[in-house]
Amino acid sequence: MIFMEKEKQKILVIDDEEVICDACSQILKQEGHNVQIAQDGDAGLECYSTFHPDVIFVDLKMPGISGLEVLEKIRAQDKNVVVVIITGYATIDSAVESMQKGAFDFLPKPFSQEELIILTRRALQRKRENLECQRLIQEKEHMRQNFISLVSHELRTPMVAVMQYVELLLSGVPGEVTERQSEIYGRMKIRLNELLKLIDRWLRLSRIEELKIKEGFSKVSLRPLVDEAIDMIKSQARDKDITIAVEHIADDCVVTGDRDMIKEVFMNLLTNGIKYNRTGGTVKIREREQDGYYIFDFSDSGIGIPRSEIEKLGKEFYRIHTEGAAAGSGLGLAIVKKILDIHGGRLEIQSQKQKGSTFSVVLPEYDKEVQDQGEKDEKNENTDH
Ligand code: ADP
């Protein structure tokens, strides 16, 4: 919806006092607005759904449903609508509660014509800002999707084709390949592979979408995931003669989440623990439980990370340029952080240069009530449609 300057702006006043409704209606109509009134919360909500107001004035205390409930119900449907609470009993507590629930401001009774007009102008200004903000978010998302599709089709697809041509040349089918040519084609293949890996990781990071992932959340037991992740990287560990040890706690660690994504987190941290380790080193995984969270520490005996760099890790493409360090994309930790964030968890990093690092995965424990509520919401949504 585009907010036209000349367009009549719609204002809904919900108050059980007839005199307030009439006064507001007269004043706001004189200001050129389109005004509707309702004398209780239910009537207000009904009017809201057909009138689609830009600003709502709602009385805090009314018979039937209260102003706060009206505010909550409206904000649950539309975060852009601007709600002003009218009240005769403005207390700090009610002010804080209304603001927390998303009210824009207060209008204490009795109020003057001027106060109402000024507050209405400010509220309409906020509505314009909300719409502009929403437009910019949508534009940004549109640009992001376009860029993903550009990287995928215009960059990745021709790169795969070039790779296939290099492989064809290397096979010798189009013509005999000298030793020197084979060496050069081989190097081209390695570089192309690295580039393709980088593109694939970036596409992976960009395609992780919070809402879609949360829809698929289920009860996940973490211990088997650690074992599966170890199984998948054990040949890398063997190549570098690295020992992997796991220290379990007594209980099974169960969380609400996406199984494959959590496994990806474990895999990324294990791979880094091997990649940035010395030959013959160790990677230890320790489970802990603390204040409603499960914590998995991945500790390695590797090159360590300078203190000043720790904060910067996890930003897209951020790598520490240490001499002799393994090649990479600087996207692994960004993926880890994004996945943990979606799960309500976090990544903690501790490290000592040349001694090793500990990357701790912190995930909230499985909460039956949250899970049940999520399932209920999903069911309601499905029956609503
Ligand atoms: P990549 O390993 O592909 O470069 P990451 O996002 O996984 O990307 O890691 C970013 C940077 O963090 C790495 O380049 C490396 O400098 C540092 N790093 C990650 N894990 C470790 C580790 N276990 N020990 C030392 N440095 C690490």
Side-chain angles (χ1 to χ4, degrees):
M1 178 171 76
I2 296 177
F3 217 85
M4 305 292 283
E5 210 49 60
K6 288 258 170 347
E7 195 179 301
K8 269 195 172 186
Q9 285 151 17
K10 294 192 229 167
I11 299 176
L12 171 63
V13 182
I14 312 171
D15 198 310
D16 59 318
E17 281 185 67
E18 208 176 327
V19 56
I20 297 269
C21 285
D22 288 343
C24 289
S25 175
Q26 268 188 31
I27 296 165
L28 295 172
K29 276 181 180 164
Q30 269 170 20
E31 283 286 292
H33 303 311
N34 181 356
V35 187
Q36 297 245 330
I37 54 174
Q39 285 185 334
D40 62 51
D42 282 320
L45 286 172
E46 210 177 303
C47 182
Y48 163 77
S49 57
T50 50
F51 182 47
H52 307 297
D54 302 302
V55 171
I56 299 168
F57 285 91
V58 58
D59 189 16
L60 194 62
K61 290 225 161 76
M62 293 180 288
I65 61 171
S66 73
L68 274 186
E69 280 173 88
V70 172
L71 168 69
E72 265 183 306
K73 290 204 162 114
I74 288 174
R75 295 276 304 174
Q77 290 179 56
D78 181 3
K79 289 268 179 285
N80 284 326
V81 71
V82 180
V83 181
V84 177
I85 299 284
I86 308 175
T87 177
Y89 321 84
T91 62
I92 293 286
D93 284 352
S94 59
V96 169
E97 198 180 350
S98 314
M99 291 308 201
Q100 277 171 345
K101 290 189 168 147
F104 168 65
D105 207 343
F106 267 85
L107 187 58
K109 286 185 205 171
F111 49 85
S112 67
Q113 177 169 346
E114 181 133 63
E115 283 169 328
L116 176 66
I117 292 172
I118 290 173
L119 189 46
T120 306
R121 284 187 193 149
R122 279 185 40 232
L124 285 167
Q125 175 61 22
R126 169 59 65 90
K127 170 75 185 191
R128 272 190 285 272
E129 287 162 5
N130 285 354
L131 286 180
E132 180 61 8
C133 188
Q134 191 187 19
R135 190 188 65 77
L136 289 173
I137 290 171
Q138 280 168 352
E139 198 175 295
K140 189 176 159 217
E141 178 55 21
H142 185 65
M143 282 167 69
R144 197 181 72 89
Q145 292 296 349
N146 276 350
F147 191 61
I148 292 175
S149 135
L150 180 110
V151 171
S152 171
H153 298 111
E154 311 299 329
L155 209 64
R156 192 182 183 283
T157 309
M159 202 74 76
V160 170
V162 173
M163 180 69 143
Q164 281 162 350
Y165 284 127
V166 171
E167 273 171 356
L168 185 66
L169 287 171
L170 259 173
S171 72
V173 173
E176 205 180 317
V177 186
T178 67
E179 210 173 302
R180 178 77 185 124
Q181 283 169 338
S182 167
E183 194 188 310
I184 293 170
Y185 292 150
R187 280 202 214 133
M188 280 171 74
K189 199 177 147 182
I190 291 172
R191 285 299 165 98
L192 278 171
N193 244 327
E194 281 171 7
L195 203 53
L196 274 173
K197 242 193 233 163
L198 178 74
I199 293 172
D200 286 344
R201 289 219 106 180
W202 184 82
L203 284 172
R204 169 91 193 99
L205 178 68
S206 307
R207 284 176 174 150
I208 297 178
E209 281 179 35
E210 173 156 4
L211 287 179
K212 276 198 195 138
I213 291 163
K214 280 191 163 162
E215 274 169 24
F217 269 13
S218 60
K219 197 172 170 183
V220 179
S221 184
L222 297 182
R223 192 166 298 164
L225 294 190
V226 174
D227 295 337
E228 283 171 36
I230 294 175
D231 213 46
M232 290 180 80
I233 52 86
K234 70 180 178 214
S235 70
Q236 291 173 43
R238 212 179 300 126
D239 290 346
K240 243 176 135 175
D241 194 20
I242 284 174
T243 312
I244 299 177
V246 191
E247 197 183 300
H248 290 305
I249 52 173
D251 297 329
D252 189 10
C253 310
V254 182
V255 299
T256 303
D258 182 298
R259 198 176 189 282
D260 291 340
M261 294 226 137
I262 301 175
K263 188 158 109 186
E264 190 173 343
V265 166
F266 292 162
M267 293 259 301
N268 280 353
L269 295 179
L270 276 168
T271 307
N272 281 353
I274 296 166
K275 222 162 75 170
Y276 301 104
N277 216 324
R278 57 184 163 80
T279 304
T282 54
V283 177
K284 288 186 187 143
I285 303 156
R286 188 165 77 105
E287 295 172 7
R288 291 186 283 141
E289 193 183 359
Q290 196 181 307
D291 305 329
Y293 287 87
Y294 287 119
I295 303 172
F296 282 67
D297 298 318
F298 290 75
S299 304
D300 62 61
S301 57
I303 57 175
I305 301 158
R307 191 185 289 263
S308 58
E309 300 281 353
I310 290 180
E311 275 292 299
K312 300 176 205 158
L313 291 184
K315 292 197 176 109
E316 278 183 41
F317 300 109
Y318 194 80
R319 306 200 69 231
I320 305 167
H321 294 286
T322 320
E323 220 174 293
S329 61
L331 290 172
L333 291 179
I335 293 175
V336 166
K337 279 196 166 178
K338 193 161 177 183
I339 294 176
L340 292 179
D341 196 42
I342 292 171
H343 284 78
R346 61 183 185 275
L347 180 72
E348 289 176 355
I349 309 171
Q350 285 182 322
S351 187
Q352 258 187 306
K353 255 200 114 193
Q354 300 309 332
K355 292 218 165 125
S357 314
T358 298
F359 287 77
S360 303
V361 171
V362 185
L363 281 170
E365 285 177 20
Y366 172 77
D367 183 335
K368 192 167 181 318
E369 268 175 39
V370 174
Q371 177 91 20
D372 287 350
Q373 189 54 48
E375 277 163 16
K376 233 187 264 165
D377 289 347
E378 204 176 310
K379 257 188 218 154
N380 288 343
E381 234 167 66
N382 291 341
T383 47
D384 283 352
H385 289 305

